[in-house]
Amino acid sequence: MKTNRYFGKIVLGIAFSLSLIITSCSGPHPTDTIPSNSKIVASFDLSHMLKVAEVDDANSIKSLSLLDGQMQNSSKELKSLWENLLKNPDNSGISFDQGVYLFRFDNESKGETNGCSMIIKDVNKFKETVEVLCKDLSLTTESSNGLNMVHISSTNLVAWNDTHMLLISSLGEEASLLDKKVASLFTLDSDKCITSVDGFKELCAAPNDITIWGSGTNLTALSKFNPSLLLFKDLVKDCSMAVHVKFDDGQIVLNNEFYAPKEVKALLGKYWKDDFNKDLYKMFPENNIMISGMVVNFEQILENLKGESYYTDADDMWKQFAGTDIQTSVQSLGNSFMFSITDMNYTKSRFRKSISPVINCALDYNTKKEHKWLTDNLDKFCEKEESGCYRLTMGRNTNMYIAETDEVLFISSEKDNVLRAIGQKKCDSDFTDSKIASHFTSTKGFWYLDLDYNHYPETTKKLVDDSFDKMQKQYIVGNMALIQDIEITSNDALSSHVEIHLKNKKENSLKQIIHLVDESAMKFVQ
């Protein structure tokens, strides 16, 4: 019994110590001044980003060096402030270690208010910084009830107290209303802060270089243009999403996460029914400019669309084309879809330029269902060739070729690709042999884009050469010289993983981007 009593005291002691540590660590945070009705919140870990980008001084970046030269002609106070900030941004009095947060919300005047929230590390240093800037810009500071404001214009102001700083820009709101609104942001109750919104903490807890969070309001607006979101209609208003960005050596990594209530999660789960049919890999060329594949539950999509007003008319039109209704046709499909672009056809005459991508598309069949409804009706619209595939004329010099086997439907703008896919033409390699195919072995959805200009077929290179002037081409090829390719993978409907691979694997990706932008900017300046 004595042992149990001592053990209980030890546990209580540890718990009390932990609570003291947590309490002492919890201090002011930029999210304290961000309201819960914000539609977008973006956080930036500037301290880490500046470190990995190796921005040591003004001379390391040409455009910054140019600005530094101009600052040497400014007042003594402004010049001194600039030099101190270059040595250490914390000399401004701002704590960049806790991040810079940008946000946007709808205001009472049916406009939008944009804000930037940061933590003040040294209020005296911050006041000195503001005084120098106000003197140079002929602005004055107004103080009331521990809150300070500098009106840059009627719709733009800076406000701060001892712990927080807000930079606010508001559209459509009167100055008097704006002052009151900004003042209220410094005294938000916990249930009025952005951290009280379901999904915000869950999606934004992990540290990243950049995190962009969007509310259900944005998803509702996007659903008007995104068919996949349109299926969920009013359900998306209770969801939110976040994009996390991390700058590594030789690559930029983005992780997209989706927060959804249980009923939306259950619905989303129905769209990812089975694993991807990798037999489709064998039907595609080894080298592709762009290639993607995904698992699609067509029956579930159709079930959601049946309630739409246009469904009956669409079903009648489909019966005239296919001789069967949409549901019967959909039930004959499998669950895997694959699409690629292998080249660009480009023809140039005296009066006309014609550009068309070489596309390939494959869809697997449900072998337990009858699926000959398509080829049984292709004779009405297409010409059947001796090879067994159908040719559909889309326009001048543009044809689509269609063929099927017992397992798959294949469509391409290149006849040879169709013949290879159905086994009538031999080929030494296919997508299975490509280096990137192994990256997608365990995914339910993938998308790949090759941006290495040197990998492109000669016809595509000619398209770039003939379509852009010298400066545009330098910019396009310059970006291609930086980025090698982009890969997107997904294993469920609630997240996706993006990797942007750069050709230079040794240097940090943010450093490379900064120097590319810097070089581009200097070309315009010069």
Side-chain angles (χ1 to χ4, degrees), residues 111-329:
E112 290 182 327
T113 297
N114 299 305
C116 174
S117 178
M118 291 182 279
I119 294 300
I120 295 178
K121 188 176 185 178
D122 188 325
V123 69
N124 292 323
K125 280 187 177 180
F126 182 73
K127 285 180 179 178
E128 291 173 4
T129 300
V130 173
E131 286 174 3
V132 172
L133 293 174
C134 284
K135 182 180 179 181
D136 187 74
L137 298 171
S138 301
L139 299 173
T140 57
T141 302
E142 302 171 14
S143 301
S144 177
N145 299 321
L147 187 64
N148 310 283
M149 289 188 184
V150 174
H151 289 84
I152 302 170
S153 68
S154 60
T155 58
N156 300 283
L157 62 85
V158 179
W160 72 93
N161 57 15
D162 289 343
T163 57
H164 293 78
M165 187 279 283
L166 283 175
L167 174 61
I168 297 293
S169 176
S170 187
L171 299 175
E173 195 157 33
E174 296 178 11
S176 58
L177 294 175
L178 181 59
D179 286 4
K180 292 179 182 178
K181 182 63 181 179
V182 172
S184 70
L185 296 179
F186 285 87
T187 56
L188 289 173
D189 294 331
S190 58
D191 61 338
K192 298 296 183 182
C193 287
I194 189 65
T195 50
S196 67
V197 177
D198 289 341
F200 184 84
K201 285 184 177 180
E202 290 85 345
L203 293 178
C204 302
N208 288 278
D209 291 328
I210 302 173
T211 293
I212 303 172
W213 176 88
S215 69
T217 304
N218 288 317
L219 294 174
T220 302
L222 284 173
S223 68
K224 298 176 182 177
F225 311 100
N226 190 320
S228 60
L229 291 174
L230 183 62
L231 296 172
F232 311 128
K233 299 177 183 176
D234 296 334
L235 293 176
V236 295
K237 71 179 185 299
D238 298 319
C239 304
S240 57
M241 65 178 294
V243 179
H244 309 288
V245 184
K246 194 170 185 296
F247 297 100
D248 291 334
D249 290 347
Q251 68 175 2
I252 306 165
V253 178
L254 297 88
N255 286 301
N256 306 312
E257 294 183 277
F258 190 73
Y259 175 85
K262 289 182 179 180
E263 62 270 23
V264 181
K265 284 184 179 180
L267 182 59
L268 285 169
K270 294 179 180 179
Y271 290 88
W272 298 77
K273 187 177 179 181
D274 300 300
D275 292 328
F276 186 79
N277 181 1
K278 294 181 177 61
D279 287 340
L280 298 184
Y281 283 10
K282 300 174 184 177
M283 299 182 176
F284 284 77
E286 178 181 359
N287 299 312
N288 299 268
I289 295 175
M290 188 279 285
I291 189 164
S292 65
M294 66 182 71
V295 177
V296 184
N297 189 337
F298 292 103
E299 289 190 60
Q300 182 61 47
I301 293 175
L302 182 65
E303 195 63 33
N304 281 59
L305 293 176
K306 281 183 178 179
E308 299 296 333
S309 58
Y310 54 78
Y311 180 81
T312 302
D313 292 337
D315 196 37
D316 290 338
M317 291 176 63
W318 187 255
K319 286 176 182 176
Q320 293 178 22
F321 167 73
T324 184
D325 57 32
I326 294 177
Q327 182 164 341
T328 302
S329 301

Side-chain angles (χ1 to χ4, degrees), residues 324-380:
T324 184
D325 57 32
I326 294 177
Q327 182 164 341
T328 302
S329 301
V330 167
Q331 287 174 346
S332 70
L333 300 177
N335 58 25
S336 298
F337 172 81
M338 200 162 167
F339 177 86
S340 83
I341 297 175
T342 53
D343 200 352
M344 301 295 289
N345 285 327
Y346 176 60
T347 56
K348 181 180 179 182
S349 65
R350 183 178 177 184
F351 303 104
R352 188 172 179 267
K353 291 181 180 179
S354 176
I355 302 170
S356 59
V358 177
I359 65 170
N360 308 282
C361 176
L363 194 63
D364 66 346
Y365 281 131
N366 180 351
T367 55
K368 296 179 181 179
K369 297 285 186 178
E370 173 59 43
H371 56 74
K372 291 294 183 181
W373 51 266
L374 179 60
T375 48
D376 286 347
N377 289 276
L378 282 176
D379 289 324
K380 301 175 184 177

